[in-house]
Amino acid sequence: MTRASRITLLVVVAAVAALFFGPEAIAHGIAGRTDLPIPRWLFGWAAALVLVVSFVALAMLWPKPRLEAARRRRLVRIPAAVDPICAVIGVALFTVVVYAGLAGTQSAVANIAPRFIYIFFWVGLVVASVAFGDLFRLFNPWRAIARAVAWGIRRISPDGLPRPIAYPERLGRWPAVVGLFAFAWIELVLPSQDRTMPSTLSTLALVYAAVQFIGMSVYGIERWTQRGDGFSVYFGLFAALSIFERRESTLYLRPPLVGATSLKRLPGTAALLSVMIGATAFDGASEGELWRSVGPKLQEFFVARGAGLEVGLELAYTVGLLLMILLIAGIYRIGVYGIHTISRDRSMSDLSALFVHTLIPIAAAYVIAHYFSLLVFESQAASFLISDPLGDGSNYFGTADSTIDYSILSPSAIWCTQVAILVTGHISGLILAHDRALKVFADPKLAIRSQYWMLVVMVGFTSLGLWLLSASNQ
Amino acid sequence: MTFIFAHTGHWITSLIYAAPVVLLVALLVADHMRNRRRDKAKVGSAADPVEAQAEPAKAQKPHNPA
């Protein structure tokens, strides 16, 4: 184990230990909701303390940049058959889900399409990407179909396909921002009966795939996949945190977080991460007291100006979603401004691009913590959905009668796990920011000073995340 | 803006989550102001030739960029 790995491990262990043992020592025996020994807000304070301690530990124990030059260890050569097999599985899954949505029952709980898209794909694949690397690239159905079509055309026509247009650098990751925002809007703003309607989801999946085919045919399969396809970019960013990295046909092992340091600096990346964090944050906020006070009034505001009740509600939620994304972007901007006060010779946009990768573990922590219980409980539905994907009474594997066990995790265990995930994510963000600052500033003291405001940003995101979790758990 | 405050009691207690952020910001602002006062004092002493002669090393010290 390298020194950097030992320090990372030490910080994570200290964070978790402080979280579970620290608060009880100062507030033992105070009864709270869901049998927690302390009130939830005290977890927030403890988490902030852990981040401050981690910041000090990094300043003392991490004097040189380590992550950027970390070495990869060759693990194994990936057999050539893996890519086509995974591609076929990806296309088959896509086909089954779309077909089930269109031809199966329109009950959201009995049809496989809603749970597959919102649970297994949108949340489960985030966890899988962080753990095992860029799995979506392997199984991406529209990339697989496009590659198969391109291969077929090359076989038939000796001239092959016309060369794709050069992808405009200014576009950066902005098409992915639009794609992800559209998905978040469907998930959070559309009325429940519409966003979980299997046929609607299948139709939208086909529309999304069609847009990707157009993008790939215009700008090239790989270039569009890496920059324009919202889901590819989304899962690719989470995969940057993984210890596994694929280069050509070889699998490498690398220290955690290292992949994030080699993130390409492209326009739209900060916006993309703000959408990723903001969408999850708004999902939590929309279940809390503040939104229950503000949301209906906002709806009334739009209804009074001629919108129908449903449109008024959608407009209110759209405004809420946009405001949350802007809040996240604003908090990050404060951290960048703090660095700018130390480094006036660098522009704000330059510094924003340099430190934007620090938001990746925060986005991962927000998604995994917020949807942790949903994932644990709802993923059990796979056992009966696999036997009856269309919800028409089939029982292919004899598991159609299995049910979800909601007692496998207590509310207290869920809360503690969520707190641990959030704190680990934000400590990871601190580590990435500290390591990058040491590279940007030749003087380590200046590097540490530059990170004071980043510490505020991390504590701010942690407090916001815990507040949202506590609000949505009530 | 009245509607935001209509049910303040329901969510105002949530602001307790923001206390660590407020504390950190207050510390940083205080540190920033202290540094600025110190820089101003150094500029003032450097402008005074008698004081500058008495403390040449202090007067030549580069300013803290923060």
Side-chain angles (χ1 to χ4, degrees):
Chain A
M1 192 184 272
T2 64
R3 192 174 170 189
S5 313
R6 281 200 302 271
I7 293 168
T8 310
L9 186 67
L10 188 72
V11 171
V12 171
V13 169
V16 175
L19 214 56
F20 285 99
F21 303 116
E24 289 193 16
I26 53 175
H28 182 74
I30 301 170
R33 290 178 76 92
T34 64
D35 295 331
L36 287 169
I38 58 169
R40 285 173 188 255
W41 57 263
L42 206 51
F43 279 87
W45 288 23
L49 187 64
V50 169
L51 284 176
V52 173
V53 170
S54 304
F55 182 84
V56 175
L58 282 170
M60 291 168 67
L61 303 171
W62 197 301
K64 285 187 298 188
R66 296 169 191 279
L67 296 177
E68 313 255 351
R71 294 172 70 179
R72 276 90 166 154
R73 192 157 62 86
R74 192 176 179 278
L75 264 188
V76 66
R77 189 172 174 78
I78 300 167
V82 167
D83 280 341
I85 289 172
C86 290
V88 168
I89 293 171
V91 174
L93 278 172
F94 181 71
T95 310
V96 167
V97 170
V98 169
Y99 177 73
L102 293 173
T105 174
Q106 292 306 299
S107 157
V109 288
N111 194 303
I112 195 172
R115 275 202 178 95
F116 186 91
I117 292 169
Y118 288 126
I119 311 292
F120 309 134
F121 176 70
W122 181 241
V123 182
L125 204 45
V126 172
V127 179
S129 301
V130 172
F132 305 113
D134 200 353
L135 293 179
F136 184 65
R137 188 176 162 77
L138 274 177
F139 293 93
N140 183 340
W142 31 90
R143 176 174 172 262
I145 293 169
R147 278 163 61 96
V149 169
W151 179 81
I153 291 174
R154 275 198 304 272
R155 298 274 293 184
I156 296 165
S157 158
D159 296 336
L161 289 161
R163 287 181 67 82
I165 298 170
Y167 188 88
E169 282 303 307
R170 281 183 312 176
L171 220 51
R173 294 188 171 97
W174 281 107
V177 177
V178 174
L180 275 189
F181 180 80
F183 183 84
W185 189 87
I186 289 164
E187 186 201 10
L188 304 172
V189 176
L190 269 189
S192 177
Q193 69 273 16
D194 291 338
R195 66 172 177 245
T196 56
M197 177 74 79
S199 60
T200 307
L201 288 174
S202 291
T203 308
L204 289 171
L206 288 173
V207 169
Y208 186 83
V211 173
Q212 302 320 302
F213 290 137
I214 294 168
M216 286 186 282
S217 60
V218 173
Y219 295 116
I221 296 171
E222 296 309 323
R223 182 47 58 98
W224 179 260
T225 301
Q226 288 161 6
R227 299 188 182 180
D229 175 2
F231 293 119
S232 289
V233 177
Y234 178 72
F235 294 118
L237 285 175
F238 291 128
L241 304 174
S242 169
I243 57 170
F244 298 107
E245 179 181 356
R246 180 181 175 170
R247 286 185 184 179
E248 304 294 332
S249 55
T250 307
L251 190 66
Y252 290 86
L253 193 68
R254 65 191 177 191
L257 307 178
V258 160
T261 60
S262 50
L263 179 71
K264 279 207 175 102
R265 288 167 210 158
L266 296 171
T269 309
L272 181 77
L273 282 153
S274 298
V275 170
M276 286 160 67
I277 300 171
T280 313
F282 180 67
D283 198 6
S286 61
E287 295 162 17
E289 281 293 341
L290 181 57
W291 182 252
R292 279 201 282 268
S293 300
V294 176
K297 299 292 179 186
L298 211 49
Q299 182 189 14
E300 281 171 26
F301 173 82
F302 288 117
V303 170
R305 274 148 190 82
L309 272 178
E310 195 172 301
V311 174
L313 188 65
E314 287 174 15
L315 285 171
Y317 269 73
T318 305
V319 169
L321 176 62
L322 284 170
L323 284 177
M324 186 57 87
I325 292 168
L326 286 175
L327 174 70
I328 300 298
I331 293 174
Y332 176 62
R333 201 74 180 163
I334 290 171
V336 173
Y337 178 76
I339 303 170
H340 184 62
T341 59
I342 302 295
S343 175
R344 294 280 184 193
D345 53 329
R346 286 182 189 270
S347 69
M348 286 279 285
S349 58
D350 189 22
L351 288 169
S352 174
L354 274 167
F355 285 87
V356 75
H357 65 304
T358 62
L359 295 178
I360 301 174
I362 297 170
Y366 262 62
V367 171
I368 299 172
H370 183 78
Y371 297 112
F372 173 69
S373 57
L374 190 76
L375 188 62
V376 168
F377 295 132
E378 293 295 319
S379 60
Q380 297 174 55
S383 61
F384 60 81
L385 289 173
I386 200 168
S387 272
D388 186 13
L390 275 67
D392 58 1
S394 308
N395 196 358
Y396 299 129
F397 302 102
T399 55
D401 295 327
S402 58
T403 53
I404 296 173
D405 180 3
Y406 287 101
S407 66
I408 57 170
L409 273 179
S410 69
S412 299
I414 290 170
W415 170 254
C416 290
T417 310
Q418 288 174 322
V419 175
I421 291 167
L422 264 185
V423 172
T424 306
H426 287 84
I427 290 176
S428 302
L430 268 184
I431 291 170
L432 283 172
H434 177 78
D435 198 74
R436 180 56 55 85
L438 288 171
K439 198 181 175 199
V440 171
F441 298 97
D443 181 359
K445 281 184 183 171
L446 270 188
I448 291 162
R449 283 184 68 83
S450 76
Q451 292 307 294
Y452 286 169
W453 283 99
M454 270 314 224
L455 174 65
V456 175
V457 167
M458 297 299 168
V459 171
F461 277 133
T462 309
S463 303
L464 177 68
L466 288 175
W467 172 61
L468 295 171
L469 283 175
S470 91
S472 60
N473 284 346
Q474 277 172 6
Chain B
M1 292 299 284
T2 50
F3 64 83
I4 292 179
F5 300 105
H7 303 280
T8 311
H10 293 159
W11 54 266
I12 196 81
T13 49
S14 306
L15 288 178
I16 198 165
Y17 281 91
V21 183
V22 173
L23 182 68
L24 270 177
V25 170
L27 284 172
L28 276 180
V29 170
D31 180 60
H32 182 70
M33 288 173 70
R34 197 173 58 228
N35 284 339
R36 278 186 64 178
R37 267 203 304 272
R38 198 167 53 202
D39 287 350
K40 274 185 184 170
K42 278 177 191 169
V43 172
S45 63
D48 183 343
V50 180
E51 215 173 300
Q53 271 184 349
E55 287 186 286
K58 194 176 172 185
Q60 286 165 8
K61 207 171 173 182
H63 294 152
N64 189 333

